[in-house]
């Protein structure tokens, strides 16, 4: 039995257990323990849940657990921890945000250039996609509201270019440091497991010890570990 995270609010505790989301009452007369390890885990869970609340509206494919939500959260809690003050629901663009999970082979992707033009490069061999679809997921960081917006669209093969026998997309947008992308292969109910690639570093200012201290202060501080 493995509990991968918990998020507690309004007297309710939500956590993952064996791929399922469990919800139960969490009222207690005792002060809640908030050690550094607990705080880090709760912050990871907070960010994962907040990301899902935005991503779910574009209907991403997560097929490897009982629910898409559980599948996403089990992957997203492995992202770097970002520290956010209580009562805020900020989300941050960073490399590795999962946008799909399935049984098709993963497409290796990276940002680069083709003849001096920004591009999304892949290892997807030319001629192997005729019976499948390609979906391009785009994520964009809004600095003012500290939130990520997700979008997706189907990519036609005539939009792709061939580089060393592999498909790529090129365009000025792939130079934007506040955006990220993932190309997902879809065949019926199956998809490739993919994560966002991005040059965005905005999130890093919320991973520092200073950010941790400010966030912890809003939760009335940390509890000392008891040995």
């Amino acid at each position: 039995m493995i509990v991968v995270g918990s998020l507690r609010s309004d007297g309710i505790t939500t956590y993952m257990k064996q791929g399922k989301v469990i919800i139960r009452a969490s009222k207690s007369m005792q002060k809640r323990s908030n050690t550094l390890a607990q705080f880090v885990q709760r912050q990871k869970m907070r960010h994962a849940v907040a990301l899902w609340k935005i991503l779910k509206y574009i209907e991403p494919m997560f097929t490897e657990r009982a629910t898409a939500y559980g599948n996403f959260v089990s992957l997203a809690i492995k992202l770097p921890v970002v520290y956010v003050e209580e009562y805020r629901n900020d989300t941050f663009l960073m490399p590795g945000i999962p946008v799909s999970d399935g049984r098709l082979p993963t497409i290796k992707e990276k940002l680069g250039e083709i003849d001096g033009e920004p591009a999304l490069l892949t290892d997807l061999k030319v001629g192997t996609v005729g019976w499948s679809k390609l979906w391009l997921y785009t994520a964009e960081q809004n600095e003012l509201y500290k939130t990520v917006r997700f979008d997706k669209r189907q990519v036609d093969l005539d939009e792709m270019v061939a580089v060393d026998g592999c498909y790529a997309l090129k365009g000025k947008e792939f130079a934007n440091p506040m955006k990220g992308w993932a190309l997902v292969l879809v065949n019926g109910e199956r998809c490739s497991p993919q994560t966002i690639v991005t040059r965005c570093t905005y999130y890093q200012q919320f991973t520092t010890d200073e950010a941790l201290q400010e966030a912890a202060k809003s939760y009335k501080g940390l509890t000392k570990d008891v040995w």
Side-chain angles (χ1 to χ4, degrees), residues 98-138:
V99 296
S100 63
D101 193 20
R103 299 293 179 90
L104 295 181
T106 300
I107 303 172
K108 293 182 180 179
E109 305 173 63
K110 65 179 180 179
L111 295 170
E113 290 186 351
I114 300 175
D115 298 328
E117 188 172 0
L120 177 65
L121 307 172
T122 82
D123 70 344
L124 191 61
K125 297 295 184 183
V126 172
T128 61
V129 195
W131 44 271
S132 303
K133 296 179 181 179
L134 286 170
W135 288 93
L136 180 66
Y137 286 72
T138 301

Side-chain angles (χ1 to χ4, degrees), residues 61-65 71 75 99-103 191-194:
M61 293 181 69
F62 287 89
T63 63
E64 297 307 289
R65 286 181 179 259
N71 197 166
L75 298 170
V99 296
S100 63
D101 193 20
R103 299 293 179 90
C191 67
S192 59
Q194 303 294 154

Side-chain angles (χ1 to χ4, degrees), residues 49-62 68-69 72 89 91 98-99 135 137-138 147-153:
V49 172
L51 284 172
W52 176 254
K53 287 180 178 179
I54 304 169
L55 181 63
K56 69 178 182 180
Y57 289 108
I58 62 171
E59 300 180 346
M61 293 181 69
F62 287 89
Y69 168 76
F72 173 82
N89 212 29
T91 51
V99 296
W135 288 93
Y137 286 72
T138 301
T147 189
V148 179
R149 181 178 65 87
F150 293 96
D151 198 6
K152 75 174 182 180
R153 68 176 181 86

Side-chain angles (χ1 to χ4, degrees), residues 130-206:
W131 44 271
S132 303
K133 296 179 181 179
L134 286 170
W135 288 93
L136 180 66
Y137 286 72
T138 301
E140 183 172 7
Q141 178 74 60
N142 183 303
E143 295 181 71
L144 179 62
Y145 297 105
K146 294 186 177 67
T147 189
V148 179
R149 181 178 65 87
F150 293 96
D151 198 6
K152 75 174 182 180
R153 68 176 181 86
Q154 186 171 342
V155 174
D156 294 327
L157 287 183
D158 58 9
E159 297 180 58
M160 312 288 285
V161 295
V163 179
D164 296 328
C166 295
Y167 286 115
L169 285 169
K170 64 178 183 177
K172 293 181 179 179
E173 67 171 310
F174 296 114
N176 191 327
M178 301 304 283
K179 284 187 174 184
W181 302 267
L183 200 60
V184 178
L185 184 64
V186 177
N187 184 5
E189 298 300 315
R190 299 188 299 162
C191 67
S192 59
Q194 303 294 154
T195 61
I196 290 289
V197 293
T198 180
R199 296 185 178 92
C200 186
T201 59
Y202 177 74
Y203 73 97
Q204 292 178 357
Q205 62 190 293
F206 301 95

